[in-house]
């Protein structure tokens, strides 16, 4: 709450700074000198430069022709032709790029949605019912958080190819449905925020367990659920190893795999360098905007998880 | 009898709630681990003269493990990610904590903008981040290399000694902002009275950081460190994408790359399975060991 004080007084568009000087120092720390303020701001600006540099490069590069991509200074515009680049990206090879984008949306959207619901059910049960094997189950799930996903992908491929599931949409979707971290977060959140009295009252009123879960529990757990959905969505969207291992048909590729397949052919077909850069720009910008817009949801869930961790 | 049916349903309810997750968890976690362990102790044996008499899969015990651990390239790849982790994990955690404290400090302005700027790269998939930074590393294309050349500094960001740290830079760039967000969120939970008390005790800004903020950041720092350790050992996409532009990256540059290569280039699934099991074990031991070390209460994670 205290952090918001300075943030709120500075308009995002960098308004007048004169009035900001009257902002009372937060946290009760007095004696903020101009020098330390300049130092802190300088460090923050330098860090912002570091994090934004490649993004800026991408913006500039996405407007260039293949020739200018290699022949002109990387951090400044040269004969911008963004629209014709964009047109090439979306029409190349029968518009395969759009198909990859749709696949990514399918994998990430459906995967994250199902994962969130399953984690909510499991976490809620772990928090609000006592049953045999409950602690064992929770510990096993915690162990799952610690296992690197890429160590699982290879044996999963062998297993799925035996079952005829490799190189299908299911090969990427099924593993996306499972979020041990989601279960962990839901258990902690449900334990802290759903009062037993409310559940008891609902039971006395004759409500069934499923109804109590959907009407009472899901509603109270919404902030945690939003966080899990976002985590899982970004995780699936950014995943590379699993689809790389599972998929051989380019029509099933998500955008990450599609772009690297373009990049890997680029020595023979230099035009693909420009398509890779343009395609990366188109795929990254919407997610970045979403990221900034949804920041507050990430935060609300993150603390719930880490405070008790 | 109206009460008996609901009571029985209530006994069954938790199992019904847990079942879908548990089923998929078994399918995508337990079963692959079991299968990998099984595959790792088997191997294909060729029979007949010159091995032309057909092949069968036989139990070979730990042979794939000893093969993996006596393969210099694989052992070097493990050493490489451990070295990588030893540098990258502290750098990442220190950078994130530093930025979080700066953002939280009394003299920070435009907090919202900076936080958003730092968090942006988290939305960039690792492969795409590697493609971007790849362009910023390649001599002749990179404005960075070019700019430094103008200043009389010649660096080869893709050379044998440097490319590992160029990869570390990509990983740090991707995830530091996310960690900053976690840490800032934790700092926000510190009650104002604590700052008040510290001020009355005469603590300056630095003393407040040391004695109030850092101790209360501990849980979030632990979380951040564990996730960074797990992420580090999985290193795959970044070296794979940089491989075509750096002759110092081979197909066994990281354990993951090695396992992938064994399985899909050399068709040696059994050795690949052993390598995957070793990798999972290492990640598990390291992160669990770290939790143990940090957590005086022991198993209570």
């Amino acid at each position: 709450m205290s952090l918001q004080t300075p943030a709120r007084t500075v308009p995002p568009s960098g308004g007048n700074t004169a009035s900001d000087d009257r902002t009372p120092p937060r946290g009760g720390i007095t004696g903020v000198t101009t020098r330390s303020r300049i130092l802190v701001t300088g460090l923050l600006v330098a860090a912002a430069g570091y994090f934004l540099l490649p993004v800026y490069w991408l913006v500039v590069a996405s407007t260039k022709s293949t020739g200018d991509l290699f022949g002109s200074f990387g951090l400044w515009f040269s004969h911008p032709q963004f629209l014709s680049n964009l047109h090439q990206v979306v029409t190349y090879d029968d518009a395969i790029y759009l198909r990859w984008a749709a696949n990514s949306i399918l994998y990430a959207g459906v995967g994250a949605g199902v994962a969130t619901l399953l984690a909510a059910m499991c976490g809620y049960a772990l928090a609000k019912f006592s049953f045999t094997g409950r602690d064992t189950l929770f510990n096993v799930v915690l162990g799952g958080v610690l296992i690197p996903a890429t160590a699982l992908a290879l044996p999963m491929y062998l297993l799925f190819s035996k079952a005829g599931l490799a190189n299908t949409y299911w090969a990427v979707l099924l593993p996306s449905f499972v979020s041990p971290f989601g279960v962990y977060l839901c258990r902690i959140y449900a334990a802290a925020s759903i009062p037993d009295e409310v559940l008891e009252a609902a039971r006395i009123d004759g409500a069934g367990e499923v109804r109590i879960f959907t009407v009472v529990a899901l509603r109270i757990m919404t902030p945690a659920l939003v966080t899990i959905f976002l985590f899982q969505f970004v995780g699936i969207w950014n995943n590379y190893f699993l689809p790389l291992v599972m998929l051989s048909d380019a029509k099933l590729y998500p955008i990450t795999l599609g772009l690297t397949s373009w990049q890997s052919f680029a020595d023979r077909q230099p035009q693909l360098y420009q398509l890779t850069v343009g395609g990366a720009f188109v795929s990254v910008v919407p997610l970045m905007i979403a990221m900034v817009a949804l920041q507050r949801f990430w935060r609300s869930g993150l603390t719930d998880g880490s405070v008790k961790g | 009898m109206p009460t008996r049916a609901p009571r029985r349903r209530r006994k069954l309810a938790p199992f019904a709630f847990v079942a879908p997750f548990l089923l998929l968890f078994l399918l995508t976690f337990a079963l692959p681990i079991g299968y990998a362990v099984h595959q790792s102790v088997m191997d294909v044996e060729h029979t007949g003269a010159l091995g032309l008499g057909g092949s069968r899969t036989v139990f070979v015990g730990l042979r794939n493990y000893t093969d993996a651990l006596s393969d210099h390239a694989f052992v070097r790849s493990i050493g490489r990610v451990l070295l990588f982790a030893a540098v990258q994990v502290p750098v990442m955690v220190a950078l994130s904590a530093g930025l979080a404290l700066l953002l939280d400090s009394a003299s920070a302005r435009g907090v919202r903008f900076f936080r958003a700027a730092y968090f942006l790269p988290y939305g960039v998939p690792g492969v795409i981040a590697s493609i971007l930074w790849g362009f910023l590393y390649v001599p002749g294309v990179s404005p960075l290399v070019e700019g430094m050349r103008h200043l009389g500094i010649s660096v080869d960001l893709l050379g044998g000694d440097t490319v590992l740290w160029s990869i570390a830079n990509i990983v740090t760039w991707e995830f530091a902002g996310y960690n900053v967000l976690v840490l800032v969120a934790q700092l926000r939970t510190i009650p104002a009275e604590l700052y008040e008390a510290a001020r009355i005790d005469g603590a300056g800004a630095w003393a407040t950081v040391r004695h109030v903020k850092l101790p209360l950041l501990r849980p979030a720092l632990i979380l951040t460190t564990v996730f960074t350790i797990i992420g580090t050992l999985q290193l795959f996409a970044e070296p794979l994408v940089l491989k075509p532009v750096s002759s110092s990256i081979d197909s066994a540059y990281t354990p993951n790359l090695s396992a992938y290569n064994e399985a899909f280039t050399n068709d040696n699934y059994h050795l690949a399975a052993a390598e995957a099991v070793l990798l999972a074990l290492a990640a598990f031991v390291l992160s669990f060991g770290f939790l143990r070390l940090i957590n005086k209460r022991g198993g209570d994670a």
Side-chain angles (χ1 to χ4, degrees):
Chain A
M1 155 178 44
S2 42
L3 184 75
Q4 288 304 76
T5 318
R8 255 201 316 261
T9 52
V10 181
S13 50
N16 85 45
T17 39
S19 70
D20 290 337
D21 291 331
R22 285 198 301 268
T23 312
R26 63 169 298 271
I29 301 164
T30 51
V32 175
T33 61
T34 316
R35 226 182 66 193
S36 82
R37 177 165 296 172
I38 290 170
L39 183 70
V40 167
T41 311
L43 289 171
L44 290 174
V45 168
Y50 167 66
F51 287 110
L52 294 179
L53 175 78
V55 180
Y56 171 72
W57 179 87
L58 181 64
V59 171
V60 172
S62 68
T63 67
K64 288 184 176 174
S65 65
T66 310
D68 282 345
L69 189 60
F70 296 99
S72 66
F73 182 58
L75 296 181
W76 197 243
F77 296 91
S78 160
H79 313 103
Q81 49 162 18
F82 177 68
L83 287 180
S84 92
N85 286 347
L86 184 66
H87 183 252
Q88 278 184 49
V89 167
V90 296
T91 53
Y92 183 78
D93 194 11
D94 284 335
I96 187 106
Y97 183 86
L98 296 178
R99 181 152 179 151
W100 291 338
N103 287 343
S104 272
I105 292 170
L106 171 83
Y107 291 136
V110 175
V114 174
T116 308
L117 181 67
L118 297 188
M121 287 164 61
C122 188
Y124 166 73
L126 284 172
K128 289 293 160 191
F129 292 88
S130 61
F131 54 94
T132 22
R134 181 171 79 156
D135 293 335
T136 317
L137 180 60
F138 186 61
N139 286 330
V140 169
V141 170
L142 266 186
V145 178
L146 298 183
I147 294 176
T150 54
L152 291 170
L154 214 61
M156 214 179 328
Y157 164 75
L158 299 175
L159 215 58
F160 277 24
S161 64
K162 277 218 160 142
L165 283 170
N167 200 30
T168 65
Y169 279 111
W170 290 110
V172 177
L173 277 175
L174 283 177
S176 310
F177 291 161
V178 185
S179 166
F181 183 69
V183 172
Y184 166 76
L185 204 63
C186 275
R187 183 200 158 139
I188 284 171
Y189 198 88
S193 64
I194 305 176
D196 286 328
E197 297 78 39
V198 175
L199 299 181
E200 277 314 313
R203 282 183 189 125
I204 289 165
D205 287 349
E209 293 301 330
V210 173
R211 205 178 137 75
I212 294 173
F213 172 72
T214 50
V215 175
V216 181
L218 279 186
R219 195 161 299 170
I220 298 177
M221 287 161 73
T222 303
L225 300 184
V226 173
T227 306
I228 294 165
F229 181 86
L230 292 174
F231 259 113
Q232 196 69 1
F233 188 94
V234 172
I236 301 168
W237 188 280
N238 291 359
N239 197 348
Y240 176 66
F241 196 71
L242 183 74
L244 174 73
V245 168
M246 289 289 182
L247 305 175
S248 49
D249 180 357
K251 288 207 165 78
L252 302 179
Y253 282 3
I255 224 158
T256 46
L257 205 49
L259 285 175
T260 44
S261 76
W262 275 357
Q263 193 222 15
S264 65
F265 288 122
D267 337 328
R268 271 158 284 169
Q269 241 178 305
Q271 179 210 6
L272 284 174
Y273 278 118
Q274 183 48 60
L275 291 180
T276 308
V277 170
F281 175 82
V282 177
S283 78
V284 155
V285 167
L287 215 60
M288 285 186 163
I289 294 171
M291 211 58 102
V292 172
L294 296 172
Q295 258 191 100
R296 64 196 182 92
F297 289 108
W298 292 85
R299 273 180 293 148
S300 66
L302 287 169
T303 16
D304 302 320
S306 60
V307 166
K308 322 236 156 131
Chain B
M1 296 285 134
T3 54
R4 271 191 57 191
R7 191 165 300 160
R8 203 175 58 232
R9 248 187 292 153
R10 232 170 98 186
K11 283 211 120 154
L12 289 175
F15 297 105
F17 281 126
V18 167
F21 175 84
L22 193 60
L23 214 70
L24 280 165
F25 184 82
L26 289 175
L27 180 71
T28 57
F29 277 79
L31 218 56
I33 292 174
Y35 191 65
V37 171
H38 169 76
Q39 289 283 71
S40 70
V41 294
M42 309 297 278
D43 208 348
V44 179
E45 207 129 88
H46 298 280
T47 54
L50 301 170
L52 294 173
S55 61
R56 61 202 176 105
T57 309
V58 291
F59 177 79
V60 296
L62 295 178
R63 201 179 73 197
N64 286 312
Y65 289 93
T66 51
D67 281 357
L69 291 173
S70 56
D71 174 7
H72 287 304
F74 182 67
V75 172
R76 259 209 309 276
S77 75
I78 295 178
R80 196 174 284 125
V81 289
L82 288 180
L83 172 70
F84 183 93
V87 175
Q88 205 263 333
V89 173
V91 167
M92 167 80 93
V93 173
L95 177 72
S96 314
L99 288 177
L101 288 170
L102 282 175
L103 280 178
D104 189 59
S105 81
S107 32
R109 330 242 91 197
V111 170
R112 200 172 283 200
F113 164 77
F114 288 120
R115 209 176 41 207
Y118 303 165
F119 188 52
L120 268 185
Y122 185 68
V124 181
V127 275
I128 295 181
S130 308
I131 292 174
L132 294 188
W133 278 103
F135 277 100
L136 293 171
Y137 289 156
V138 174
V141 184
S142 166
L144 298 183
V145 177
E146 210 175 313
M148 281 195 273
R149 201 170 46 85
H150 279 295
L151 295 172
I153 311 164
S154 74
V155 278
D156 179 6
L157 295 171
L158 298 166
D161 299 330
T162 44
V163 73
L164 190 64
W165 311 119
S166 298
I167 294 172
N169 171 57
I170 300 177
V171 176
T172 308
W173 181 80
E174 279 176 77
F175 296 104
Y178 164 73
N179 291 330
V180 169
L181 213 64
V182 174
L183 296 171
V184 166
Q186 180 88 49
L187 283 172
R188 283 188 59 199
T189 65
I190 298 174
E193 300 89 73
L194 275 181
Y195 292 127
E196 200 61 32
R199 195 176 59 86
I200 291 166
D201 287 346
W206 183 239
T208 312
V209 165
R210 258 198 71 188
H211 299 293
V212 180
K213 292 187 179 183
L214 279 181
L216 286 161
L217 265 184
R218 224 176 82 110
L221 284 173
I222 293 171
L223 190 82
T224 310
T225 308
V226 168
F227 283 160
T228 309
I229 292 174
I230 299 173
T232 299
L233 292 173
Q234 301 192 63
L235 214 54
F236 177 81
E238 293 81 3
L240 187 73
V241 170
L242 291 182
K243 199 165 165 270
V245 291
S246 171
S247 55
S248 315
I249 297 175
D250 56 20
S251 53
Y253 196 71
T254 70
N256 234 335
L257 213 52
S258 175
Y260 175 79
N261 198 50
E262 286 301 338
F264 291 97
T265 312
N266 300 343
D267 279 328
N268 196 341
Y269 292 112
H270 301 283
L271 185 59
E275 295 188 349
V277 171
L278 285 171
L279 178 66
L281 265 179
F284 203 78
V285 166
L286 276 186
S287 30
F288 210 73
F290 176 76
L291 282 177
R292 264 277 151 102
L293 191 78
I294 274 318
N295 215 335
K296 283 174 236 133
R297 288 163 299 165
D300 178 67

